[in-house]
Amino acid sequence: MSQQGYVATPPYSQPQPGIGLSPPHYGHYGGPSHAASSPGMIKPAGPLGAAPPGGMLPQGHPPPGPHQFGQNGAHAQGPPPQRFPGPPPVSSAAPSYPPYSPSTQSSYPSPGSSASMAQLGSQLGAMHINSYGSGAAPPSQGPPGPASAASVQGPPQPPQPSILQPGSQVLPPPPTALNGPGASPLPPPTHRPDGLPGPAPPNAQYQPAPLPGQTLGPGYPAQQANYGPPVAGAQLSYPGGFPGGPAQMAGPPQPQKKLDPDSVPSPIQVIESDRASRVGQVYATNARGQIPPLVTTDCVIQDQGNASPRYIRCTTYCLPCTSEMAKQAQIPLAAIITPFATIPSNETPLYLVNHGEAGPVRCNRCKAYMCPFMQFIEGGRRYQCGFCSCVNDVPPFYFQHLDHIGRRLDHYEKPELSLGSYEYVATLDYCRKNKPPNPPAFIFMIDVSYSNIKNGLVKLICEELKTVLERLPKEDQEETSAVRVGFITYNKVLHFFNVKSNLAQPQMMVVTDVSEVFVPLLDGFLVNYQESQSVIHNLLDQIPEMFADSNENETVFAPVIQAGMEALKAADCPGKLFIFHSSLPTAEAPGKLKNRDDKKLINTDKEKILFQPQANVYESLAKDCVAHGCCVTLFLCPSQYVDVASLGLVPLLTGGTLYKYNGFQMHLDSQQFLNDLRNDIEKKIGFDAIMRVRTSTGFRATDFFGGIYMNNTTDAEMAAIDCDKAVTVEFKHDDKLSEDTGALIQCAVLYTTVSGQRRLRIHNLALNCSSQLADLYKSCETDALVNFFAKSAFKAVLHQPLKVIREILVNQTAHMLACYRKNCASPSAASQLILPDSMKVLPVYMNSLLKNCVLLGRPEISTDERAYQRQLVMTMGVADSQLFFYPQLLPIHTLDVKSTTLPAAIRCSETRLSEEGIFLLANGLNMFLWLGVSSPPELIQGIFNVPSLAHVNTDMTLLPEVGNPYSQTLRMIMGIIQQKRPYSMKF
């Protein structure tokens, strides 16, 4: 059985020598091979899997020890293998989670046997999936560029045999210290290392990507795949044919031709072809294991028995039948679940099922909830559970006769029998202390230290709260919101305010003992906004004046969270703290932090300390917050280092959000800040939530990544979860799976609504299973794979050297593709890179991930920014991670002002920018407008209302409102890009 995938074959013009290339070192999940390589195998020095020159062997990694994860994700049933095994974190506190013990068995096949992996490692190297961003040399290797060849020590290399393709006359360069033999030298970078294009080179001309079927330069004709569209057959002869291939010609090395970027598969083409075939169509979820449209494609989703891809996306929709097959392919088996995802108005909202006192019908053995996967038997009196096969009696109130095909007569009347997603009203058994919950409360906590008063932030917040409190979240059918509100200000002491509706003036109570925080008032602290509106407005007018003459610069932070949590605890309700903070908490109090920003740690094994919280108090505080349903959202406005890794831990673990505005300036940042605040207060949210993922027999959920707290191995707890938060769940086999029955997943989230009702939200999904590797590769989703790899890598940075993590990412990518080539593709020239159709842009996306500042430290990027980006990605859904790692780049100079559609996007590379053009770049956090030196003056005039490029103010964060078509169309485009994104993008 031979499946030919995508053949990437640019005119690279010659292969490189294969000698000196060892099979790459794969990221063994806790296997012994981390500590020592197999006999006869050279361990790679760089991320490309190439051996170091001169026969020098690099140092081995420290052996994996049992270690704890300070974040989340404990395992069920015994010790599973670990993706990024590492030494214990530097922390003296007892771990909050059961310790992991890495498995002793390696998940990878013996590296010695797979020549094709070495091949692939070097081919990926040729695609410049270099983990060292532009111009940054890896630690302990010479400076980049040609000069580094001189820094190689050891005997001179003998001439290597090289394999030439027809038409190729150019020979490989000598090995350099950066590349090692057999890998190509780095080209001038086409990206900034964070995935954004840098300045364009002079005279860079924009060249459109080739159309399908158009060939690029000399080469073999396109190879037709057995499935998937035909692809351009440009020719790539990649470096490093199989080791020891026949030498056809040897001679003095000559300069090497660069990889032709047009021959690397284009993400834009993949996105556009999916849109062309599926945009605007109805996608019905009635079949098991079908592959949904890409996240970038707009279509209408109709629930017909499986959860919408808006709620659950998978890395593959066809699981391998056995764990051996899973280890062979090494494709992660994971689901990215966004339980509260926003549903567009043209799709049906979730139905609410209410069984009264009886509560939801559940399997007696595995406790799965009634769903379309239950099979009714014996005339409808019993049903067989689809998850554990247990036969249960149907409760008398739920009985219904079956029709001629064994389906209940009320099948289409009951959402839980015919739909993939629905909600149940929960009974008192599902409530804390078996009594109904109170509606949640929002507490606004404002840092009134000197800097926040002086830059106008306090006044801005107080003014905005007057309007935003009118829009507190409520159930659709309700007149007013049931959410109560309270107010605290603080510097190094805390001020509580009594805003009871019968007071003429608000009253302030000061708590100076920050080491043992207590709540000085109960009655009058949390109030209904409508009832106390005049007192609250009075207070918001007074706060900026009250602290106008304050010179207090020191602040506390942990006691502020403690105070908010104690207030919610005293009121016996869940809730959310909105904390507006701007400096490192240096006042004497629990959670006091010192400035530990140390650039010298970058690219050392101690770099991981920068991502770990400084004080243990924050983790125990987060645990208490989750236990009491207290979610923390933090608006940070720092002018210098504030230790985001420590301050951001509580928002991360409680399901809150972290917003950061560096060096907040009123005229530049206020609009972005206000948009974020409004959006956060109004968004769809559930409180005091607990999530469990059940699976059918044969596999189980083992690892969880996201804004969650794991108290045990199965339940992900969240003080709150909103429409933008996703949890990524990894699955492992514990038995064989059957092709006939497939694999079933049920995600159940128990939560409290904004009106105080306890509910269960259920999402069900059925996947295929196959014993054929080709089916597994055919059903993969690249965007979901990148989301999984990003989260697992960003979780590992707490415990592992970044260099090891980057190597594992490169090697696992190479392994997945090598396994496809070896087992699914028809034989082809050794120098061709063969990619499965579903993964043809995976190398490009992984390259973007490797360039992210979290995995690649550079002195000009602040430690806080890296910790911030790490935290954002940990809770991202697939659509947000797709845009973040591969931003949208739009040529604005090609705008059709009569059209309302976006201009076609172009590939994210510096070479695509042109001096004559204007380009808009958006990644979900920022938007950049890039103006070419020779941009058309009429466009400059139309957009900025200034005569020429020299007059444009580059500091502006809002486009001027110019009443002409160019300006209006550009602002409309920016509005469309901003829609549905969780963060207001800074322009």
Side-chain angles (χ1 to χ4, degrees):
M1 205 248 28
S2 153
Q3 297 276 10
Q4 182 74 29
Y6 182 89
V7 189
T9 50
Y12 202 64
S13 158
Q14 88 293 338
Q16 255 97 356
I19 304 273
L21 265 176
S22 56
H25 165 53
Y26 295 101
H28 292 257
Y29 302 178
S33 46
H34 252 303
S37 305
S38 352
M41 161 189 174
I42 302 175
K43 233 163 124 190
L48 309 178
M56 294 181 291
L57 281 176
Q59 297 291 308
H61 309 297
H67 60 291
Q68 299 82 23
F69 269 5
Q71 198 182 343
N72 47 47
H75 289 279
Q77 302 175 18
Q82 208 29 58
R83 168 168 281 92
F84 296 102
V90 184
S91 161
S92 55
S96 339
Y97 313 108
Y100 282 47
S101 48
S103 84
T104 51
Q105 188 215 333
S106 147
S107 335
Y108 289 91
S110 152
S113 63
S114 39
S116 62
M117 284 175 224
Q119 168 81 11
L120 240 131
S122 69
Q123 291 181 349
L124 281 168
M127 291 186 70
H128 308 297
I129 302 192
N130 56 325
S131 345
Y132 304 117
S134 43
S140 82
Q141 298 190 4
S148 61
S151 65
V152 179
Q153 313 216 324
Q157 299 269 337
Q160 309 264 358
S162 51
I163 308 159
L164 265 86
Q165 296 278 338
S168 109
Q169 295 304 320
V170 189
L171 276 168
T176 65
L178 186 59
N179 302 316
S184 56
L186 304 180
T190 53
H191 288 262
R192 273 189 9 210
D194 50 9
L196 308 178
N203 308 321
Q205 296 298 316
Y206 164 62
Q207 291 186 340
L211 299 169
Q214 177 182 329
T215 52
L216 287 153
Y220 299 125
Q223 298 201 19
Q224 183 67 44
N226 289 0
Y227 55 88
V231 203
Q235 196 54 29
L236 232 201
S237 57
Y238 267 112
F242 284 110
Q248 295 186 2
M249 176 176 157
Q254 286 167 16
Q256 177 190 329
K257 283 193 184 169
K258 240 175 32 178
L259 176 71
D260 175 14
D262 280 333
S263 58
V264 177
S266 160
I268 305 303
Q269 210 174 332
V270 169
I271 290 168
E272 288 305 330
S273 70
D274 191 72
R275 277 189 188 142
S277 60
R278 304 178 91 156
V279 79
Q281 294 184 5
V282 173
Y283 171 75
T285 65
N286 53 356
R288 183 179 85 190
Q290 60 181 343
I291 303 156
L294 296 180
V295 282
T296 42
T297 301
D298 259 337
C299 63
V300 178
I301 293 162
Q302 197 173 61
D303 186 340
Q304 293 188 5
N306 283 291
S308 157
R310 298 190 201 285
Y311 295 123
I312 307 183
R313 282 185 175 269
C314 296
T315 52
T316 176
Y317 295 87
C318 176
L319 301 187
C321 281
T322 63
S323 57
E324 291 73 31
M325 191 173 152
K327 280 177 190 164
Q328 186 185 1
Q330 263 179 44
I331 294 172
L333 310 177
I336 296 92
I337 305 173
T338 314
F340 284 78
T342 308
I343 293 302
S345 54
N346 58 353
E347 291 177 21
T348 317
L350 296 193
Y351 288 97
L352 183 61
V353 180
N354 190 347
H355 289 325
E357 298 277 306
V361 179
R362 303 179 67 178
C363 169
N364 291 328
R365 186 197 287 163
C366 70
K367 300 294 181 221
Y369 294 86
M370 179 55 67
C371 67
F373 309 144
M374 304 298 191
Q375 183 68 44
F376 288 88
I377 51 175
E378 296 180 26
R381 287 187 299 281
R382 308 179 83 185
Y383 68 91
Q384 183 172 26
C385 173
F387 293 88
C388 69
S389 304
C390 175
V391 174
N392 299 269
D393 291 330
V394 173
F397 82 91
Y398 201 67
F399 174 78
Q400 178 58 271
H401 293 288
L402 307 184
D403 64 12
H404 64 289
I405 56 169
R407 199 159 54 188
R408 283 172 57 121
L409 296 174
D410 61 358
H411 177 83
Y412 289 109
E413 291 152 38
K414 291 204 177 298
E416 72 273 25
L417 299 180
S418 55
L419 298 177
S421 301
Y422 43 88
E423 292 199 312
Y424 281 117
V425 174
T427 57
L428 291 180
D429 302 341
Y430 294 89
C431 303
R432 283 185 195 269
K433 303 176 194 149
N434 286 35
K435 62 183 212 286
N438 291 313
F442 285 178
I443 302 177
F444 297 92
M445 316 178 95
I446 306 169
D447 168 0
V448 290
S449 58
Y450 175 81
S451 59
N452 277 8
I453 297 286
K454 281 288 165 277
N455 67 13
L457 187 61
V458 172
K459 191 168 177 21
L460 179 74
I461 294 165
C462 292
E463 281 303 312
E464 179 60 22
L465 284 178
K466 291 180 195 170
T467 52
V468 86
L469 288 173
E470 301 281 354
R471 304 206 288 260
L472 289 169
K474 60 182 200 292
E475 292 297 324
D476 298 338
Q477 65 280 4
E478 288 178 344
E479 283 295 304
T480 59
S481 173
V483 175
R484 290 174 297 162
V485 294
F487 302 88
I488 291 176
T489 57
Y490 67 94
N491 37 46
K492 64 188 218 186
V493 296
L494 286 86
H495 321 105
F496 288 76
F497 294 95
N498 184 345
V499 283
K500 204 170 177 185
S501 57
N502 58 7
L503 293 175
Q505 283 282 341
Q507 297 170 345
M508 177 164 97
M509 296 183 179
V510 181
V511 174
T512 53
D513 182 5
V514 288
S515 58
E516 292 287 332
V517 180
F518 66 98
V519 181
L521 76 159
L522 285 179
D523 192 29
F525 178 64
L526 292 178
V527 296
N528 179 300
Y529 172 70
Q530 299 323 95
E531 290 168 14
S532 298
Q533 186 173 357
S534 60
V535 192
I536 289 172
H537 280 221
N538 197 336
L539 169 68
L540 293 172
D541 288 336
Q542 288 180 29
I543 286 176
E545 293 158 23
M546 210 184 302
F547 299 100
D549 301 327
S550 160
N551 288 324
E552 186 52 71
N553 244 331
E554 285 199 308
T555 56
V556 294
F557 186 71
V560 180
I561 298 175
Q562 187 79 37
M565 184 184 70
E566 296 293 343
L568 294 174
K569 198 162 132 186
D572 196 21
C573 68
K576 184 166 174 178
L577 312 182
F578 291 81
I579 303 179
F580 303 91
H581 188 83
S582 65
S583 59
L584 195 68
T586 51
E588 273 312 320
K592 173 185 175 179
L593 299 174
K594 59 180 193 290
N595 187 332
R596 52 160 189 171
D597 189 17
D598 187 357
K599 288 283 198 302
K600 288 198 285 293
L601 296 181
I602 292 176
N603 290 325
T604 69
D605 282 358
K606 288 189 175 168
E607 190 170 6
K608 56 179 180 266
I609 297 169
L610 300 174
F611 295 103
Q612 296 167 359
Q614 235 184 95
N616 297 323
V617 60
Y618 289 108
E619 190 168 331
S620 54
L621 193 53
K623 186 178 179 177
D624 291 345
C625 284
V626 172
H628 295 103
C630 167
C631 166
V632 178
T633 278
L634 176 58
F635 291 83
L636 265 182
C637 301
S639 54
Q640 53 201 39
Y641 176 76
V642 288
D643 198 350
V644 170
S646 299
L647 300 188
L649 186 67
V650 179
L652 178 65
L653 296 183
T654 59
T657 310
L658 174 60
Y659 299 93
K660 186 162 79 78
Y661 313 90
N662 295 331
F664 182 88
Q665 289 178 276
M666 186 65 76
H667 64 291
L668 295 179
D669 303 296
S670 58
Q671 201 50 55
Q672 184 196 5
F673 168 77
L674 295 177
N675 290 344
D676 281 333
L677 177 59
R678 288 166 196 160
N679 180 39
D680 203 281
I681 286 177
E682 294 172 32
K683 65 168 63 164
K684 170 90 178 150
I685 186 169
F687 292 91
D688 201 7
I690 186 161
M691 177 172 112
R692 180 171 283 193
V693 178
R694 291 183 174 81
T695 54
S696 52
T697 48
F699 74 120
R700 61 192 165 84
T702 57
D703 233 336
F704 296 80
F705 309 90
I708 53 176
Y709 194 87
M710 301 291 296
N711 249 336
N712 56 31
T713 57
T714 53
D715 299 323
E717 295 181 49
M718 296 158 278
I721 181 166
D722 63 46
C723 54
D724 298 318
K725 300 288 183 295
V727 178
T728 298
V729 184
E730 186 176 13
F731 302 102
K732 292 261 167 41
H733 286 76
D734 49 15
D735 204 350
K736 284 201 169 94
L737 295 172
S738 148
E739 295 199 13
D740 301 336
T741 54
L744 310 177
I745 297 170
Q746 183 178 78
C747 165
V749 183
L750 175 65
Y751 73 101
T752 301
T753 66
V754 286
S755 60
Q757 187 183 43
R758 203 73 176 142
R759 287 190 192 169
L760 282 151
R761 182 170 281 221
I762 313 292
H763 298 298
N764 303 287
L765 184 65
L767 304 175
N768 285 333
C769 296
S770 175
S771 53
Q772 300 294 322
L773 279 169
D775 295 334
L776 172 62
Y777 280 98
K778 219 185 287 191
S779 306
C780 284
E781 183 178 314
T782 298
D783 296 325
L785 280 167
V786 172
N787 179 286
F788 172 83
F789 280 128
K791 288 187 186 181
S792 58
F794 283 17
K795 181 174 167 180
V797 299
L798 296 174
H799 313 287
Q800 290 269 85
L802 296 186
K803 183 165 180 274
V804 174
I805 294 171
R806 291 194 303 260
E807 273 180 26
I808 290 173
L809 287 172
V810 170
N811 289 329
Q812 188 163 358
T813 307
H815 188 108
M816 285 157 54
L817 300 176
C819 176
Y820 175 82
R821 177 186 189 122
K822 186 176 166 188
N823 299 288
C824 308
S826 47
S828 58
S831 54
Q832 282 184 334
L833 182 58
I834 308 288
L835 301 170
D837 201 55
S838 66
M839 285 188 194
K840 60 186 177 193
V841 294
L842 182 66
V844 176
Y845 280 2
M846 291 301 278
N847 198 14
S848 304
L849 167 59
L850 289 165
K851 290 176 176 180
N852 179 270
C853 67
V854 176
L855 296 181
L856 193 65
R858 297 190 305 288
E860 70 274 16
I861 300 220
S862 72
T863 306
D864 275 348
E865 182 60 28
R866 299 175 71 195
Y868 173 60
Q869 291 198 16
R870 176 187 169 269
Q871 180 152 340
L872 295 191
V873 169
M874 288 309 292
T875 62
M876 273 184 184
V878 179
D880 295 327
S881 60
Q882 190 278 336
L883 183 68
F884 182 67
F885 290 115
Y886 198 84
Q888 201 170 2
L889 182 60
L890 303 177
I892 298 301
H893 52 283
T894 63
L895 266 186
D896 178 3
V897 290
K898 298 186 190 68
S899 162
T900 54
T901 56
L902 297 185
I906 58 173
R907 296 171 70 162
C908 278
S909 168
E910 185 187 24
T911 56
R912 310 283 165 175
L913 301 174
S914 64
E915 289 182 0
E916 298 78 49
I918 297 180
F919 299 85
L920 181 68
L921 184 82
N923 72 347
L925 288 186
N926 299 292
M927 278 191 201
F928 300 94
L929 196 61
W930 189 92
L931 309 170
V933 185
S934 320
S935 339
E938 65 275 13
L939 264 178
I940 299 287
Q941 177 74 45
I943 295 169
F944 298 100
N945 202 20
V946 294
S948 73
L949 188 69
H951 295 78
V952 174
N953 169 16
T954 54
D955 291 335
M956 67 170 71
T957 56
L958 282 175
L959 280 179
E961 298 201 15
V962 185
N964 72 45
Y966 284 127
S967 172
Q968 287 161 350
T969 311
L970 177 56
R971 293 218 308 280
M972 177 204 73
I973 286 170
M974 289 166 66
I976 292 171
I977 294 174
Q978 179 60 63
Q979 263 171 359
K980 301 180 295 213
R981 295 296 169 187
Y983 300 92
S984 172
M985 294 185 225
K986 182 171 181 177
F987 176 69

